[in-house]
PDB file of all heavy atoms in Angstrom:
ATOM      1  N   GLY A 107       7.562   7.865 -11.885  1.00 98.00           N
ATOM      2  CA  GLY A 107       7.440   6.705 -11.001  1.00 98.00           C
ATOM      3  C   GLY A 107       6.876   5.539 -11.791  1.00 98.00           C
ATOM      4  O   GLY A 107       6.962   5.496 -13.032  1.00 98.00           O
ATOM      5  N   ALA A 108       6.280   4.583 -11.078  1.00 98.00           N
ATOM      6  CA  ALA A 108       5.794   3.368 -11.720  1.00 98.00           C
ATOM      7  C   ALA A 108       4.743   3.689 -12.790  1.00 98.00           C
ATOM      8  O   ALA A 108       4.871   3.282 -13.951  1.00 98.00           O
ATOM      9  CB  ALA A 108       5.206   2.447 -10.652  1.00 98.00           C
ATOM     10  N   ALA A 109       3.711   4.436 -12.404  1.00 98.00           N
ATOM     11  CA  ALA A 109       2.605   4.689 -13.334  1.00 98.00           C
ATOM     12  C   ALA A 109       3.047   5.604 -14.475  1.00 98.00           C
ATOM     13  O   ALA A 109       2.686   5.380 -15.635  1.00 98.00           O
ATOM     14  CB  ALA A 109       1.425   5.310 -12.583  1.00 98.00           C
ATOM     15  N   ASP A 128      10.153  15.075 -13.958  1.00 98.00           N
ATOM     16  CA  ASP A 128      10.173  14.707 -12.532  1.00 98.00           C
ATOM     17  C   ASP A 128      11.205  15.567 -11.824  1.00 98.00           C
ATOM     18  O   ASP A 128      12.276  15.835 -12.369  1.00 98.00           O
ATOM     19  CB  ASP A 128      10.529  13.218 -12.377  1.00 98.00           C
ATOM     20  CG  ASP A 128      10.120  12.672 -11.017  1.00 98.00           C
ATOM     21  OD1 ASP A 128      10.559  13.243  -9.987  1.00 98.00           O
ATOM     22  OD2 ASP A 128       9.363  11.688 -10.978  1.00 98.00           O
ATOM     23  N   HIS A 129      10.881  15.979 -10.594  1.00 97.00           N
ATOM     24  CA  HIS A 129      11.866  16.788  -9.858  1.00 97.00           C
ATOM     25  C   HIS A 129      12.977  15.929  -9.239  1.00 97.00           C
ATOM     26  O   HIS A 129      14.003  16.447  -8.830  1.00 97.00           O
ATOM     27  CB  HIS A 129      11.184  17.662  -8.795  1.00 97.00           C
ATOM     28  CG  HIS A 129      10.414  16.930  -7.755  1.00 97.00           C
ATOM     29  ND1 HIS A 129       9.786  17.585  -6.725  1.00 97.00           N
ATOM     30  CD2 HIS A 129      10.153  15.619  -7.573  1.00 97.00           C
ATOM     31  CE1 HIS A 129       9.175  16.693  -5.946  1.00 97.00           C
ATOM     32  NE2 HIS A 129       9.384  15.521  -6.446  1.00 97.00           N
ATOM     33  N   SER A 140      11.269  -0.701  -3.095  1.00 96.00           N
ATOM     34  CA  SER A 140      10.093  -1.531  -2.785  1.00 96.00           C
ATOM     35  C   SER A 140      10.473  -2.989  -2.548  1.00 96.00           C
ATOM     36  O   SER A 140      11.507  -3.467  -3.035  1.00 96.00           O
ATOM     37  CB  SER A 140       9.092  -1.449  -3.940  1.00 96.00           C
ATOM     38  OG  SER A 140       9.618  -2.102  -5.068  1.00 96.00           O
ATOM     39  N   GLY A 141       9.600  -3.654  -1.819  1.00 94.00           N
ATOM     40  CA  GLY A 141       9.748  -5.100  -1.613  1.00 94.00           C
ATOM     41  C   GLY A 141      11.109  -5.468  -1.054  1.00 94.00           C
ATOM     42  O   GLY A 141      11.677  -6.487  -1.463  1.00 94.00           O
ATOM     43  N   ASN A 146       8.003  -6.205  -5.189  1.00 98.00           N
ATOM     44  CA  ASN A 146       6.845  -7.106  -5.324  1.00 98.00           C
ATOM     45  C   ASN A 146       5.964  -6.464  -6.404  1.00 98.00           C
ATOM     46  O   ASN A 146       5.054  -5.709  -6.109  1.00 98.00           O
ATOM     47  CB  ASN A 146       6.145  -7.189  -3.963  1.00 98.00           C
ATOM     48  CG  ASN A 146       4.884  -7.982  -3.966  1.00 98.00           C
ATOM     49  OD1 ASN A 146       4.101  -7.886  -3.023  1.00 98.00           O
ATOM     50  ND2 ASN A 146       4.653  -8.760  -5.003  1.00 98.00           N
ATOM     51  N   ILE A 263       6.427   8.697   2.193  1.00 93.00           N
ATOM     52  CA  ILE A 263       7.894   8.725   2.135  1.00 93.00           C
ATOM     53  C   ILE A 263       8.385   9.996   1.420  1.00 93.00           C
ATOM     54  O   ILE A 263       8.913   9.937   0.294  1.00 93.00           O
ATOM     55  CB  ILE A 263       8.506   7.458   1.468  1.00 93.00           C
ATOM     56  CG1 ILE A 263       7.715   6.217   1.859  1.00 93.00           C
ATOM     57  CG2 ILE A 263       9.985   7.315   1.772  1.00 93.00           C
ATOM     58  CD1 ILE A 263       8.018   5.607   3.192  1.00 93.00           C
ATOM     59  N   GLY A 267      10.745  12.000  -2.742  1.00 88.00           N
ATOM     60  CA  GLY A 267      10.278  12.986  -3.727  1.00 88.00           C
ATOM     61  C   GLY A 267       8.772  13.161  -3.738  1.00 88.00           C
ATOM     62  O   GLY A 267       8.231  13.839  -4.619  1.00 88.00           O
ATOM     63  N   SER A 269       5.142  14.533  -3.198  1.00 96.00           N
ATOM     64  CA  SER A 269       4.632  15.900  -3.011  1.00 96.00           C
ATOM     65  C   SER A 269       3.134  15.913  -3.300  1.00 96.00           C
ATOM     66  O   SER A 269       2.582  14.941  -3.820  1.00 96.00           O
ATOM     67  CB  SER A 269       5.345  16.899  -3.933  1.00 96.00           C
ATOM     68  OG  SER A 269       4.705  16.933  -5.199  1.00 96.00           O
ATOM     69  N   GLU A 445       3.386   2.934   3.358  1.00 97.00           N
ATOM     70  CA  GLU A 445       3.755   2.484   2.005  1.00 97.00           C
ATOM     71  C   GLU A 445       2.950   3.212   0.950  1.00 97.00           C
ATOM     72  O   GLU A 445       3.420   3.398  -0.174  1.00 97.00           O
ATOM     73  CB  GLU A 445       3.559   0.974   1.863  1.00 97.00           C
ATOM     74  CG  GLU A 445       4.744   0.213   2.394  1.00 97.00           C
ATOM     75  CD  GLU A 445       4.869  -1.189   1.827  1.00 97.00           C
ATOM     76  OE1 GLU A 445       4.198  -1.543   0.846  1.00 97.00           O
ATOM     77  OE2 GLU A 445       5.667  -1.938   2.409  1.00 97.00           O
ATOM     78  N   GLU A 474      -1.047   6.178  -7.893  1.00 98.00           N
ATOM     79  CA  GLU A 474      -1.444   6.365  -6.492  1.00 98.00           C
ATOM     80  C   GLU A 474      -2.131   7.700  -6.224  1.00 98.00           C
ATOM     81  O   GLU A 474      -2.816   7.850  -5.213  1.00 98.00           O
ATOM     82  CB  GLU A 474      -0.180   6.235  -5.640  1.00 98.00           C
ATOM     83  CG  GLU A 474      -0.447   5.974  -4.188  1.00 98.00           C
ATOM     84  CD  GLU A 474       0.850   5.811  -3.399  1.00 98.00           C
ATOM     85  OE1 GLU A 474       1.758   5.094  -3.858  1.00 98.00           O
ATOM     86  OE2 GLU A 474       0.938   6.435  -2.332  1.00 98.00           O
ATOM     87  N   GLY A 484       1.746  -6.319  -3.789  1.00 98.00           N
ATOM     88  CA  GLY A 484       1.925  -6.170  -5.232  1.00 98.00           C
ATOM     89  C   GLY A 484       0.733  -5.522  -5.920  1.00 98.00           C
ATOM     90  O   GLY A 484       0.767  -5.254  -7.124  1.00 98.00           O
ATOM     91  N   PHE A 487       1.405  -1.724  -7.230  1.00 98.00           N
ATOM     92  CA  PHE A 487       2.115  -1.627  -8.512  1.00 98.00           C
ATOM     93  C   PHE A 487       1.206  -2.056  -9.668  1.00 98.00           C
ATOM     94  O   PHE A 487       1.227  -1.453 -10.738  1.00 98.00           O
ATOM     95  CB  PHE A 487       3.404  -2.456  -8.501  1.00 98.00           C
ATOM     96  CG  PHE A 487       4.557  -1.726  -7.848  1.00 98.00           C
ATOM     97  CD1 PHE A 487       5.403  -2.369  -6.960  1.00 98.00           C
ATOM     98  CD2 PHE A 487       4.787  -0.387  -8.124  1.00 98.00           C
ATOM     99  CE1 PHE A 487       6.455  -1.696  -6.360  1.00 98.00           C
ATOM    100  CE2 PHE A 487       5.840   0.304  -7.527  1.00 98.00           C
ATOM    101  CZ  PHE A 487       6.681  -0.362  -6.647  1.00 98.00           C
TER     102      PHE A 487
HETATM  103  P1  FDA B 653       5.368   7.050  -7.440  1.00 74.06           P
HETATM  104  O1  FDA B 653       5.445   7.522  -6.052  1.00 74.06           O
HETATM  105  O2  FDA B 653       6.025   5.756  -7.796  1.00 74.06           O
HETATM  106  O3  FDA B 653       5.945   8.149  -8.444  1.00 74.06           O
HETATM  107  C1  FDA B 653       5.611   9.497  -8.346  1.00 74.06           C
HETATM  108  C2  FDA B 653       6.696  10.313  -9.027  1.00 74.06           C
HETATM  109  O4  FDA B 653       6.253  11.673  -9.089  1.00 74.06           O
HETATM  110  C3  FDA B 653       7.999  10.296  -8.267  1.00 74.06           C
HETATM  111  O5  FDA B 653       9.063   9.960  -9.132  1.00 74.06           O
HETATM  112  C4  FDA B 653       8.133  11.712  -7.728  1.00 74.06           C
HETATM  113  O6  FDA B 653       9.467  12.166  -7.656  1.00 74.06           O
HETATM  114  C5  FDA B 653       7.324  12.515  -8.770  1.00 74.06           C
HETATM  115  N1  FDA B 653       6.832  13.775  -8.228  1.00 74.06           N
HETATM  116  C6  FDA B 653       6.119  13.958  -7.091  1.00 74.06           C
HETATM  117  N2  FDA B 653       5.898  15.256  -6.889  1.00 74.06           N
HETATM  118  C7  FDA B 653       6.475  15.931  -7.937  1.00 74.06           C
HETATM  119  C8  FDA B 653       6.611  17.298  -8.265  1.00 74.06           C
HETATM  120  N3  FDA B 653       6.125  18.260  -7.471  1.00 74.06           N
HETATM  121  N4  FDA B 653       7.275  17.621  -9.391  1.00 74.06           N
HETATM  122  C9  FDA B 653       7.803  16.658 -10.188  1.00 74.06           C
HETATM  123  N5  FDA B 653       7.730  15.329  -9.905  1.00 74.06           N
HETATM  124  C10 FDA B 653       7.059  14.969  -8.793  1.00 74.06           C
HETATM  125  N6  FDA B 653       3.701  -1.522  -3.926  1.00 74.06           N
HETATM  126  C11 FDA B 653       3.651  -2.772  -4.405  1.00 74.06           C
HETATM  127  O7  FDA B 653       2.726  -3.083  -5.170  1.00 74.06           O
HETATM  128  N7  FDA B 653       4.624  -3.682  -4.082  1.00 74.06           N
HETATM  129  C12 FDA B 653       5.662  -3.378  -3.255  1.00 74.06           C
HETATM  130  O8  FDA B 653       6.572  -4.192  -3.029  1.00 74.06           O
HETATM  131  C13 FDA B 653       5.692  -2.082  -2.686  1.00 74.06           C
HETATM  132  N8  FDA B 653       6.659  -1.737  -1.796  1.00 74.06           N
HETATM  133  C14 FDA B 653       6.725  -0.482  -1.305  1.00 74.06           C
HETATM  134  C15 FDA B 653       7.729  -0.147  -0.395  1.00 74.06           C
HETATM  135  C16 FDA B 653       7.820   1.147   0.094  1.00 74.06           C
HETATM  136  C17 FDA B 653       8.878   1.490   1.105  1.00 74.06           C
HETATM  137  C18 FDA B 653       6.900   2.128  -0.360  1.00 74.06           C
HETATM  138  C19 FDA B 653       6.997   3.553   0.115  1.00 74.06           C
HETATM  139  C20 FDA B 653       5.898   1.800  -1.243  1.00 74.06           C
HETATM  140  C21 FDA B 653       5.788   0.497  -1.728  1.00 74.06           C
HETATM  141  N9  FDA B 653       4.773   0.131  -2.607  1.00 74.06           N
HETATM  142  C22 FDA B 653       4.722  -1.156  -3.080  1.00 74.06           C
HETATM  143  C23 FDA B 653       3.812   1.116  -3.128  1.00 74.06           C
HETATM  144  C24 FDA B 653       4.258   1.590  -4.525  1.00 74.06           C
HETATM  145  O9  FDA B 653       5.610   2.005  -4.449  1.00 74.06           O
HETATM  146  C25 FDA B 653       3.402   2.757  -5.015  1.00 74.06           C
HETATM  147  O10 FDA B 653       2.037   2.415  -4.927  1.00 74.06           O
HETATM  148  C26 FDA B 653       3.747   3.101  -6.459  1.00 74.06           C
HETATM  149  O11 FDA B 653       5.102   3.488  -6.536  1.00 74.06           O
HETATM  150  C27 FDA B 653       2.855   4.230  -6.965  1.00 74.06           C
HETATM  151  O12 FDA B 653       3.265   4.578  -8.255  1.00 74.06           O
HETATM  152  P2  FDA B 653       3.051   6.056  -8.821  1.00 74.06           P
HETATM  153  O13 FDA B 653       3.754   6.090 -10.111  1.00 74.06           O
HETATM  154  O14 FDA B 653       1.644   6.433  -8.738  1.00 74.06           O
HETATM  155  O15 FDA B 653       3.827   6.989  -7.769  1.00 74.06           O
END
Side-chain angles (χ1 to χ4, degrees):
D128 199 304
H129 60 178
S140 69
N146 175 195
I263 322 279
S269 86
E445 277 202 13
E474 198 178 314
F487 278 136

